[in-house]
Amino acid sequence: MMKRSPLKPALALMLAAGLLSACSLAPTYQRPAAPVAAEFPAVPPAGGAKAQPARAADAKTAVDTGWREYFADARLQQLIAAALDNNRDLRVAVLRMEEARAAYNIQSADRLPNLNVGLSESRGKTPASVSNNGQISRNQRYDANLSLAAFELDFFGRVKSLSDAALASYLATDEARQSAQIGIVAEVAKAYFTERAYAEQYTLAQRTYEARKRTFDLTQQRVEVGASSRLDLRSNETLMETARASALALARQRAQAANALTLLVGQGVTADGAMASDAQIDAMSALPEGLPSELLARRPDIRAAEQRLQAANANIGAARAAFFPRVSLTAAIGSASPSFSGLFDGGTGSWSFVPQLTLPIFDAGRNKANLNLSEVRKNIAVADYEKSIQVAFREVADALAARTYLGEQVAAQRAIQEAQAERLRLLQLRFENGVASSLDVLDAQRELFSAEQSLVQARLLRATSAIDLYRALGGGLK
């Protein structure tokens, strides 16, 4: 009669555990409803502003538009590429993702048995005074075995729930890395255009200062011959020094903007090129906004919040499983012999099979507290997920409002600048013909300088709002 192998019951038990491990006590996950309106708020034209043109139905969305396609400036593309390689914040985000992936690999390994091969030797000596036969005894033993170390049979899905939670945490950090990448792309573009705007304003201020200095020198000569008053001289001096102070302030702001850009890029940079043209800003602003529900799939920060919610949901399953018995299995098969040469001879086989059942009886409320903690953390994750959606909705709505009004604001500011330039030209003609006073000319120069600076600022606001819309809609990964 064939002798039944003692390991067959263990293998059968492991197979049954594998079938039952699909059971889980985690709550069925349901995505919370988005706590926002079904559509973005409409922004009606105001103050004579024209309505935005209809977006083409087949226009590419932000998530389908790579940053190289969105930002046409070659120098800006180089800076963004360098930032994606060198930025320390993004590097930390990548390392956090690697950390979470390693943690998931460790946790998921608990779902499979750990097999170990062992080879050991033991020697001992028993003195005659304590020996049973009154003689010195010596013993020696060699063991070789293949062992299964304390493998938990996951009847109630505790290990599976912990593995699911670790996987969701890993996916959340990966989404966080993508969100950080989008943020770096947007921040580099905004810092670049800010530095270029300051450079343009500085050029205007320096040019204005040089022109006013020439006027001041000419007025000083006229005062010396009695052709102008000292009041005219001091008025010209005030305008000249005002332009000089503005130029110095803009030089400082430009240097600080360059430092901010250097920090984002992660290496020394030399900014050159020009501020984005109106045509480029128009192209950047022409993104279709879509619907709020589409943000759930577009924005990695929302997807990261949902993965954290799923991790919290899985941890509830692990906390519930802690109330039930835990079954673990330790087994080994091998050979034992008093001599190494006879270790694998016939009749030296050995085996062990140690199932263990642990049933919680009294834990001073620890398991209940752990379950309560898991449920509270899930509620926190739900609130965090809903807040992420609300923040995303607000960011898109703000960017759409800016897109509606800033285009007309730039047009109005350009009309002011052109009108001030023409006013100055006419007053200079009148002054040369003795009709207007020098104070009228000085006032026109001051107003023109202010209009030129305001136009640059309005164009910068429109460019940064287009970048904010691109970022808010989930673009920038490619």
Side-chain angles (χ1 to χ4, degrees), residues 149-165:
F151 174 60
E152 181 175 345
L153 305 181
D154 197 23
F155 289 112
F156 301 101
R158 189 188 74 87
V159 178
K160 180 180 183 300
S161 294
L162 292 175
S163 179
D164 291 343

Side-chain angles (χ1 to χ4, degrees), residues 246-271:
S246 297
L248 293 173
L250 289 168
R252 172 184 57 80
Q253 292 172 319
R254 179 187 178 186
Q256 292 173 339
N259 293 336
L261 182 60
T262 298
L263 177 62
L264 287 169
V265 174
Q267 64 182 25
V269 298
T270 302

Side-chain angles (χ1 to χ4, degrees), residues 27-90:
T28 301
Y29 174 75
Q30 293 182 346
R31 174 184 288 177
V36 293
E39 296 182 354
F40 295 111
V43 184
K50 299 179 181 178
Q52 288 290 316
R55 308 296 171 192
D58 58 349
K60 294 183 69 174
T61 61
V63 74
D64 296 322
T65 305
W67 58 265
R68 293 184 183 276
E69 179 181 355
Y70 190 73
F71 300 110
D73 190 300
R75 178 55 178 160
L76 176 56
Q77 291 179 355
Q78 295 175 355
L79 294 175
I80 292 175
L84 294 178
D85 290 336
N86 301 317
N87 185 269
R88 270 45 178 190
D89 290 335
L90 186 58

Side-chain angles (χ1 to χ4, degrees), residues 33-40 291-293 295-296 386-394:
V36 293
E39 296 182 354
F40 295 111
L291 297 173
S293 59
L295 290 178
L296 303 182
E386 293 175 342
K387 178 67 178 298
S388 298
I389 295 175
Q390 291 175 336
V391 170
F393 183 86
R394 185 245 173 118

Side-chain angles (χ1 to χ4, degrees), residues 105-126:
N105 289 336
I106 293 172
Q107 186 62 57
S108 63
D110 289 341
R111 300 190 64 186
L112 297 175
N114 295 327
L115 298 178
N116 302 306
V117 174
L119 180 64
S120 64
E121 174 190 6
S122 62
R123 298 185 181 188
K125 173 185 176 182
T126 303

Side-chain angles (χ1 to χ4, degrees), residues 61-63 65-67 70-71 89 176-191 264 284-285 287-288 295 298-303 391-397 399-400 463-477:
T61 61
V63 74
T65 305
W67 58 265
Y70 190 73
F71 300 110
D89 290 335
R177 176 194 61 81
Q178 296 182 38
S179 181
Q181 180 174 332
I182 293 177
I184 290 299
V185 170
E187 291 303 318
V188 169
K190 291 168 70 173
L264 287 169
M284 290 192 297
S285 300
L287 285 172
L295 290 178
R298 288 176 179 173
R299 290 195 36 150
D301 58 334
I302 296 179
R303 298 198 300 264
V391 170
F393 183 86
R394 185 245 173 118
E395 289 176 351
V396 175
L400 292 176
T464 55
S465 72
I467 297 170
D468 287 336
L469 179 61
Y470 180 63
R471 177 181 182 178
L473 292 174
L477 285 176

